[in-house]
Each structure stands twice: as C-alpha cells, then as structure tokens.
Amino acid sequence: MVRKQVVYGLLDKPPFQILILAGAQHVLTLFGATTLVPLIFGPAMGMDTVQIGFFISCVYFAMGIATLVQTHPKLGTGLPIVQGSSFSFIPPVMTIVGIYKAMGPEVIMQYLGGALIVGGVVLSIIGYSGLVGIIRKVITPVVIGPTIMAIGFSLYDVAVKFNAANYWPVSLLVVAGVFFFGLMSRNKYFNIFSVLSSIVLAYLVCFIGSSTGFFPEGHPAHVTMASVAAAPWFKFTGFLPWGAPKFSVVAIGAIVAGFFAVMIESIGDYHSCSYASGLEDPTPEMISRGIGAEGMNCALAGALGAVGTTSYTENIGLISLTGVASRWVVRTGAVLLILMSMVGKLGALIATVPNPVIGGAYIALFGTIGALGIQVLMRADMGSQRNVLIVGFAFLMALGLPGWVMEKQELFFSFGIAGQVLWAIMKTPMAVAGICAAFWDSIVPGTPEERGIGTRL
C-alpha cells in the first residue's frame, strides 16, 4: 500500500465542511459493498421489495453504530477504521437461510439475530480478555489464504446462477464497468467508486429500458418505483425490528466460521490502517480491544436486525489515497450513515436494483475476494512442497466436502446437538478450508519464513 503524506492526523479535527465532505466520501466508499450484502440475503430469504428496503436501513443504522464503537479509544482500536457488512458471513448465513427458509424471512432474521448475539458475545470475550493473542499463533498466511479463497470462490452460484444468468447483457455491462472505471479510467474518483459507478450506470439503463417498455414487467431487468412511492420519508428501524431473537445450536454453529474469518481479516486491517495513518503498528492491547469491539458490534447488529460487521479495507485505501486519517472524519461518516438509515425512501429505492445488476457486481467482488486469498499466500513460500500440499488439500476439501455433508444431514443430526453443530460447520466452505489448513500447518514442520510468519508485502 502506497502511503500518502498525512494531511489530517488521527486526533486532528478538520473544519466542519471538510468533516462533512470527507465523512461523506467514506460513506460512498463503503456504500456499494455494505448494500450488496442485504441485497444477497433479502431475496434468498424470500423478502419482498418493502422488506428488503427496511433491511437495508437496519444495516446502515447498525454499521453507523459499529463504526462509532470501533473508533472509540476505550471500546475499540481508536483507529479511523470503518465498519461495514461482512462478506465473510455470506456462506454461513446462506446455510441458516437454507435451514429455516420455509418459516419465512422474519423467522430467519430472528435465528440470524440470535446467532450473531451469541457469536458476538463470545468474540467480544476473546478480544477483551486478550485470548486473541493465543489464537493468532496458529493463524498464518498458509491458513488465511485458503480461508479467504473459499469465501470468494465458493459463492460462484450466488453470483452467476441465481443473479447474473437471469439477464447476461446487463450483468456483463456491470462487469465491464468495473474493469473500465477501476483499471482503465484515469479519473481517480471513478477508480475509488468503480463498483458503485458501474451499478448506477447499469441501473440507469434498466430504469430507462423499463420506462420505455423495452424491459416489460416480469423481465429480470425491469425496475418499478411503486414501492418507493409507498415508502415513508422517515422511518426509525428500532430495536429487535424482526422480533425477539431465536437461538439454535445449528445456526450458532454455522456462523462460527464467519467470526473466525472476521477476526483474521480485522487483525490485518488494523495493521494496514495504522500504516496508512502514519502510526506505529497497533499494540496487542489495541488489537484485543478491536476484536472485542468487533464482537460487540456483531451482537449489536443482531439486536438491530442487521448482518455481521467487519473492518473495511476499501476505506483504509481511501485514507492512504487522501492522507485524511482523522478519527473525527470517520465518526462523522458514521453519523451520516445513521441518518441515512432513517430515510425510508432511500432503502426502498436501493431495493429496486434488479438481480442482473447485482449479479454483475457479485462476479467482480467475489472473484476479487478469492484472488485476495491468493495474494495473502504470497507472504508464504509457495515454492515449498509443504505449503503447496497443505493449501491444495484445504482448498479442494473446501470445495468438495460441504456438498457431501449437506446430503448427509440425517446422519449428522442423529448424533444430537454435537452432530448438528458439526454439520453446520462442515457445510461451510471457509470453515473447512480454515480447519484443514490450520491442522496441517500446525503439525507439519516448517520454518517461520516458509509459513510466512512476520512477512509483509
């Protein structure tokens, strides 16, 4: 990461107009990815457009609160780090959706809320107690790499079969836009907002096509504004908006893998954010508080009807690009996000984005996530036969084992609660990858250099 000279440091308080504009830029940077997560889960749960719009508002509110917690020097790291919807929770949440889909979206959200609350409390204890320091000893690039690869590459069906394939011309327009705005354009703002710009462009094409009758009602690319007109201007999402949380060992077991991945990526983000902000590496105490805050934020998100949270690497890149590392700026962005959650028509408008548009964005984002796992592996010695065998085994098992486990649900459930939890964990590709890689990386001899310990790119 190229570090720009810091213009506003961590404790600096810029003028009011800079606070608002720079805070808004952070909101725009996280906007696309944070919005895409509820747009994945909503249709999968069977939510209608109105419910999806409300779900999006819940997510904005929870992410704003989470960012305020993480940037607090006593509760979190105190770094200028933004919290947003985590892609790491997509595979385990889709497992929960599959189990409870017949009961309807409200019930699914109640089980998801319960799982996030329990998992969040456990992660918070691991963080604030300092136990995360012990866990870090078995988390090497050889473990992190295949875990992240499994997160991205295991979602190919969600990206292609269930979204992009509904209407390829629009989906490919989004993909082409991401390549153009992100890699070919010389405009730095297009570079920063490549995904958001591509979604807006494709959405406008769909809207114009729907208005002129080219995309009639019922067409995958059709856009209707009926739900936007019916939505209220002001709506407070509130506490437990989907009802009281429900607790299930299967749901909690499924989501464990998401918390493991969040812990891994967040520790890396704390170091990146410190570097981009012109600070020394985070202390063990800061990392412990950060992970504790991650857990607290996920538990709060469960109670606020949202999804799991994590630190956002995109916003760290924004700090590096602009040199604005003020904690006050990020906290201003958090307040703007909370205010956005109260505009009912905004969530309703975003919920009208057609599936093919979302599918195109998924192709770009999920593929990039998987490739980032490969990038992490570059820290280890991938010329080593040891590492090649461990990574290859872990990734192949991540792609193959979950399908077999899903078919053997009756067998696993016959062993009671332990079998149910094991079924939920082994059905999640990222959990399989992480467990397999961590097991062999821990017992097969290897030098620190070979395992990538202490190596930075």
Side-chain angles (χ1 to χ4, degrees):
M1 181 185 295
V2 178
R3 177 168 55 181
K4 184 184 174 83
Q5 183 178 359
V6 174
V7 179
Y8 291 105
L10 179 68
L11 302 179
D12 293 340
K13 189 174 182 180
F16 180 75
Q17 62 271 27
I18 299 295
L19 276 177
I20 298 298
L21 291 173
Q25 186 166 237
H26 272 289
V27 171
L28 286 171
T29 303
L30 68 85
F31 187 80
T34 288
T35 303
L36 283 175
V37 175
L39 285 176
I40 295 172
F41 294 153
M45 294 180 192
M47 289 184 177
D48 58 30
T49 306
V50 175
Q51 289 174 312
I52 294 173
F54 181 71
F55 188 19
I56 290 169
S57 294
C58 291
V59 168
Y60 290 164
F61 184 71
M63 301 310 140
I65 297 294
T67 300
L68 292 176
V69 171
Q70 186 61 266
T71 54
H72 193 284
K74 300 294 185 184
L75 297 175
T77 59
L79 293 169
I81 197 162
V82 173
Q83 302 290 113
S85 304
S86 174
F87 282 89
S88 298
F89 284 107
I90 294 176
V93 170
M94 294 303 280
T95 296
I96 295 173
V97 171
I99 296 170
Y100 300 109
K101 187 168 185 178
M103 299 183 183
E106 290 89 355
V107 175
I108 297 173
M109 288 302 301
Q110 290 164 14
Y111 278 110
L112 174 58
L116 285 172
I117 290 170
V118 172
V121 169
V122 172
L123 183 62
S124 189
I125 292 171
I126 290 173
Y128 288 131
S129 68
L131 287 174
V132 67
I134 299 173
I135 297 174
R136 285 178 65 194
K137 294 178 181 178
V138 298
I139 301 175
T140 69
V142 177
V143 178
I144 298 170
T147 302
I148 296 177
M149 289 165 61
I151 293 171
F153 295 144
S154 68
L155 293 169
Y156 61 87
D157 260 356
V158 175
V160 177
K161 183 177 178 182
F162 300 120
N163 287 285
N166 288 330
Y167 191 64
W168 278 111
V170 168
S171 301
L172 294 178
L173 174 62
V174 178
V175 174
V178 172
F179 274 90
F180 175 76
F181 292 129
L183 302 177
M184 300 168 68
S185 173
R186 295 182 180 275
N187 186 302
K188 67 177 182 180
Y189 295 106
F190 279 152
N191 297 156
I192 296 170
F193 306 124
S194 58
V195 175
L196 183 61
S197 301
S198 303
I199 290 174
V200 170
L201 174 63
Y203 181 82
L204 289 174
V205 170
C206 292
F207 179 75
I208 294 170
S210 301
S211 301
T212 57
F214 187 77
F215 296 138
E217 188 173 350
H219 191 281
H222 181 73
V223 175
T224 176
M225 291 294 167
S227 60
V228 180
W233 277 105
F234 175 82
K235 188 173 183 66
F236 180 60
T237 56
F239 190 70
L240 301 178
W242 307 101
K246 296 181 183 294
F247 301 95
S248 158
V249 291
V250 180
I252 294 167
I255 215 161
V256 164
F259 282 102
F260 175 74
V262 161
M263 183 168 60
I264 291 174
E265 63 186 356
S266 294
I267 291 172
D269 283 342
Y270 302 156
H271 283 84
S272 298
C273 188
S274 294
Y275 178 76
S277 303
L279 303 171
E280 297 294 327
D281 281 344
T283 64
E285 292 75 22
M286 286 176 64
I287 291 175
S288 293
R289 288 199 307 272
I291 297 301
E294 298 273 359
M296 183 192 302
N297 289 334
C298 284
L300 286 172
L304 295 172
V307 295
T309 77
T310 191
S311 303
Y312 258 33
T313 308
E314 298 95 322
N315 292 78
I316 298 171
L318 183 61
I319 292 172
S320 181
L321 185 70
T322 63
V324 179
S326 170
R327 183 192 297 157
W328 288 94
V329 166
V330 173
R331 292 173 75 83
T332 300
V335 173
L336 292 176
L337 203 54
I338 292 170
L339 293 175
M340 285 169 55
S341 74
M342 300 179 186
V343 182
K345 287 190 182 296
L346 177 62
L349 177 64
I350 296 169
T352 64
V353 178
N355 279 346
V357 176
I358 300 302
Y362 291 166
I363 289 174
L365 286 171
F366 295 165
T368 300
I369 291 169
L372 286 174
I374 299 173
Q375 189 178 57
V376 169
L377 286 174
M378 293 168 61
R379 301 179 186 179
D381 179 10
M382 289 311 295
S384 161
Q385 182 63 28
R386 170 194 185 275
N387 291 346
V388 169
L389 184 57
I390 291 173
V391 171
F393 170 75
F395 190 57
L396 186 138
M397 290 296 285
L399 294 181
L401 185 62
W404 177 83
V405 169
M406 192 164 100
E407 294 173 358
K408 302 297 180 182
Q409 181 177 350
E410 272 188 45
L411 173 64
F412 278 88
F413 277 41
S414 67
F415 291 97
I417 292 177
Q420 293 175 31
V421 172
L422 186 62
W423 177 84
I425 293 174
M426 292 294 100
K427 185 181 172 297
T428 308
M430 55 195 271
V432 174
I435 291 169
C436 291
F439 175 79
W440 289 113
D441 187 49
S442 297
I443 67 172
V444 175
T447 65
E449 293 76 16
E450 195 176 18
R451 299 173 68 196
I453 298 173
T455 304
R456 292 184 66 176
L457 289 179

